[in-house]
């Protein structure tokens, strides 16, 4: 085999290896080190380095080096003229001794000559400068042949592509990060707006202060107990916060009437689900069908609710969740014409109406949440905070809930042992 042939085979081998290196490695700096090693090794070059160029900072940072010594600068800045000339040159070796007109060579002349750098190779990929190679002399002391220069260009292209890929990835990560921040900001704004709305709704109804917020919180508990993801639970809370938004258009004296309202007043009040739907429809709600929850939160699964008298499966699930939360809050807070009912009575009511007004699995989830808190299975004090400690500590609630859970879901995989 002639010397040229074996050199050629060796070079192709090194190129193939370099290609693989660029494609496989995740560790950028390791890729740069191995690539430089391969390049220097295949041409027996004594020393060299790879620099990455930042267009924004107009500076090059050394990312891999071999035998460059301490004197070689780790960061070098470029002026516009340097960048222009490097770009025009492309990935071809520039002889340092022949490039004294370059401002870059003038500025770094000392370092380049002290380290005995013979060649600078701008790494230009898709008309963009991504870095440069700095190469010292060959171990044989021979000058670089045109064949050597071609190999350097070919390998430089591989290294340049690896840097370019890395830059693209960094850009993507930055963009994703910006998007995430923007999304978080939007989310916060949305939540704040929803809460402000809920406060405005509750303001109008002086007897049921905090109703919307509580319905939001009960809906959140139900969503959590149903095993929903964070976004869905958040959606349930929002649906609860906004379910009565239509009441903003109902006359204050009807909402606050300290007596049972008459049929005409009741008709006006009963329009609030449909009005709420109209108000909420144009808003984009990220997680749940909030407008439908508002429209159907007074439907019952036996078809005796309003406004449309829908039956079970035709009622949106989120509306069933809000319906239970809403009814529970109505029963457990003082109204102008009615005192709050004791917990045991409320639970019996919910159990009795599971399958009539409420979806049994939603009552079930609600009971489970309550039971967990009463038995200390969860340290959260969600119900205690909403209902008051005393209310939650009424006698016999735990067996009552256990019985209810056993009675309502005989085929459920959950087994609640009866008796306390
Ligand atoms: Fe309502
Ligand atoms: Fe309500």
């Amino acid at each position: 085999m002639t010397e040229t042939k074996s050199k050629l085979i060796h070079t192709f081998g090194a190129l193939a290896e370099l290609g693989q290196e660029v494609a496989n490695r995740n560790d950028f700096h390791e890729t740069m080190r191995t690539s430089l090693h391969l390049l220097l090794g295949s041409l027996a070059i004594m020393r060299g380095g790879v620099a990455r160029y930042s267009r924004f900072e107009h500076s090059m940072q050394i990312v891999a080096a071999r035998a460059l010594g301490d004197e070689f600068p780790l960061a070098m800045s470029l002026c516009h003229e340097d960048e222009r000339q490097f770009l025009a040159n492309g990935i071809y070796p520039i002889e340092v001794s022949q490039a004294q007109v370059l401002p870059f060579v003038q500025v770094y002349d000392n370092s380049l000559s002290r380290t005995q750098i013979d060649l600078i190779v701008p790494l230009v990929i898709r008309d963009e400068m991504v870095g440069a190679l700095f190469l010292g002399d060959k171990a044989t002391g021979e000058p670089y042949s045109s064949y050597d220069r071609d190999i350097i260009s070919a390998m430089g292209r591989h290294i340049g592509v690896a840097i370019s890929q890395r830059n693209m990835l960094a850009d993507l990560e930055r963009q994703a990060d910006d998007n995430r921040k923007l999304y978080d900001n939007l989310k916060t704004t949305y939540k704040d707006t929803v809460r402000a709305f809920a406060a405005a709704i509750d303001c109008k109804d002086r007897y049921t202060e905090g109703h919307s917020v509580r319905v939001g919180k009960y809906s959140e508990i139900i969503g959590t107990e149903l095993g929903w993801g964070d976004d869905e639970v958040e959606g349930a809370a929002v649906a609860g916060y906004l379910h009565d938004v239509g009441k903003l258009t109902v006359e204050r004296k009807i909402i606050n009437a300290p007596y049972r309202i008459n049929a005409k007043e009741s008709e006006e009040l009963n329009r609030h689900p449909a009005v709420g739907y109209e108000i909420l429809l144009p808003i984009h709600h990220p997680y749940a069908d909030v407008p439908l929850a508002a429209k159907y939160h007074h439907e019952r699964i036996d078809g005796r609710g309003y406004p449309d008298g829908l039956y079970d499966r035709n009622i949106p699930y989120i509306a069933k969740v809000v319906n239970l939360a809403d009814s529970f809050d109505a029963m457990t807070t003082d109204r102008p014409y009615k005192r709050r009912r004791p917990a045991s009575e409320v639970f019996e009511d919910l159990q009795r109406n599971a399958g009539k007004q409420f979806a049994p699995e939603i009552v079930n989830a609600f009971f489970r949440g309550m039971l967990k808190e009463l038995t200390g299975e969860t340290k959260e004090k969600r119900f205690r905070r909403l209902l008051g400690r005393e209310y939650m500590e009424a006698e016999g609630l735990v067996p009552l809930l256990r019985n209810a859970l056993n009675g309502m879901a005989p085929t459920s995989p959950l087994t609640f042992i009866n008796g306390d």
Side-chain angles (χ1 to χ4, degrees), residues 347 366-372 374 396-408 416:
F347 291 137
F366 194 68
F367 282 176
R368 269 198 318 267
M370 174 71 94
L371 190 63
K372 274 185 194 165
L374 285 173
L397 284 190
V398 170
L400 191 136
L401 286 172
R402 283 194 172 134
N403 275 335
L405 282 165
N406 279 333
M408 275 194 312
F416 286 92

Side-chain angles (χ1 to χ4, degrees), residues 38-315:
L38 275 165
L39 169 59
L40 300 182
S42 65
L43 291 178
I45 303 170
M46 304 282 281
R47 67 191 71 79
V50 184
R52 182 180 178 187
Y53 180 58
S54 158
R55 237 175 348 133
F56 307 107
E57 293 162 23
H58 296 286
S59 85
M60 285 204 274
Q61 302 263 351
I62 293 289
V63 286
R66 188 168 159 204
L68 282 185
D70 295 339
E71 303 225 8
F72 198 83
L74 292 175
M76 293 163 277
S77 56
L78 260 69
C79 67
H80 279 295
E81 180 57 15
D82 293 323
E83 198 182 317
R84 199 184 65 76
Q85 297 244 17
F86 281 145
L87 276 172
N89 181 84
I91 307 191
Y92 299 102
I94 298 170
E95 201 101 31
V96 174
S97 58
Q98 307 291 310
Q100 293 302 319
V101 287
L102 267 180
F104 178 79
V105 172
Q106 288 165 18
V107 171
Y108 295 102
D109 191 32
N110 260 343
S111 312
L112 294 169
S113 56
R114 236 178 294 166
T115 324
Q116 292 174 290
I117 294 298
D118 287 355
L119 302 177
I120 300 175
V121 189
L123 301 178
V124 178
I125 302 294
R126 285 186 289 270
D127 296 328
E128 197 184 310
M129 167 126 175
V130 296
L133 299 176
F134 295 89
L135 302 172
D137 50 355
K138 294 176 68 174
T140 54
E142 293 166 15
Y144 282 100
S145 65
S146 65
Y147 169 79
D148 292 339
R149 289 163 190 273
D150 287 346
I151 291 172
I152 291 171
S153 293
M155 289 187 143
R157 214 157 269 132
H158 276 279
I159 297 174
V161 166
I163 298 178
S164 170
Q165 276 175 353
R166 165 78 180 190
N167 289 349
M168 278 196 284
L169 202 69
D171 277 351
L172 275 178
E173 275 166 9
R174 226 184 344 260
Q175 268 173 23
D177 201 43
D178 286 351
N179 283 347
R180 215 167 10 247
K181 279 186 195 137
L182 199 69
Y183 177 70
D184 284 347
N185 273 343
L186 276 177
K187 230 167 137 176
T188 311
T189 310
Y190 177 76
K191 277 190 209 164
D192 289 349
T193 312
V194 166
R195 278 194 198 121
F197 246 113
I201 304 161
D202 290 345
C203 234
K204 201 157 179 188
D205 189 343
R206 67 191 161 102
Y207 290 109
T208 57
E209 205 194 340
H211 168 68
S212 301
V213 172
R214 286 193 301 273
V215 172
K217 297 211 186 287
Y218 291 133
S219 303
E220 192 179 316
I221 295 172
I222 296 170
T224 309
E225 284 306 321
L226 287 169
W228 291 359
D230 289 350
D231 285 351
E232 285 77 18
V233 169
E234 177 76 36
V238 171
Y241 283 140
L242 298 179
H243 76 286
D244 271 341
V245 72
K247 280 193 181 170
L248 286 172
T249 65
V250 178
E251 264 192 77
R252 198 178 275 265
K253 74 172 195 325
I254 296 179
I255 296 176
N256 290 319
Y259 51 82
R260 275 202 186 277
I261 50 176
N262 64 34
K264 195 163 167 276
E265 290 167 328
S266 168
E267 194 183 312
E268 180 175 346
L269 183 64
N270 290 356
R271 279 213 315 269
H272 79 272
V275 174
Y277 176 73
E278 295 299 325
I279 294 174
L280 296 170
L281 198 59
I283 305 168
H284 171 73
H285 302 276
Y287 328 115
D289 209 328
V290 178
L292 283 182
K295 186 169 183 179
Y296 294 124
H297 74 274
H298 285 293
E299 296 288 358
R300 299 165 48 104
I301 66 167
D302 59 8
R304 291 173 53 222
Y306 69 94
D308 293 346
L310 297 182
Y311 282 94
D312 190 6
R313 281 169 190 262
N314 296 327
I315 306 170

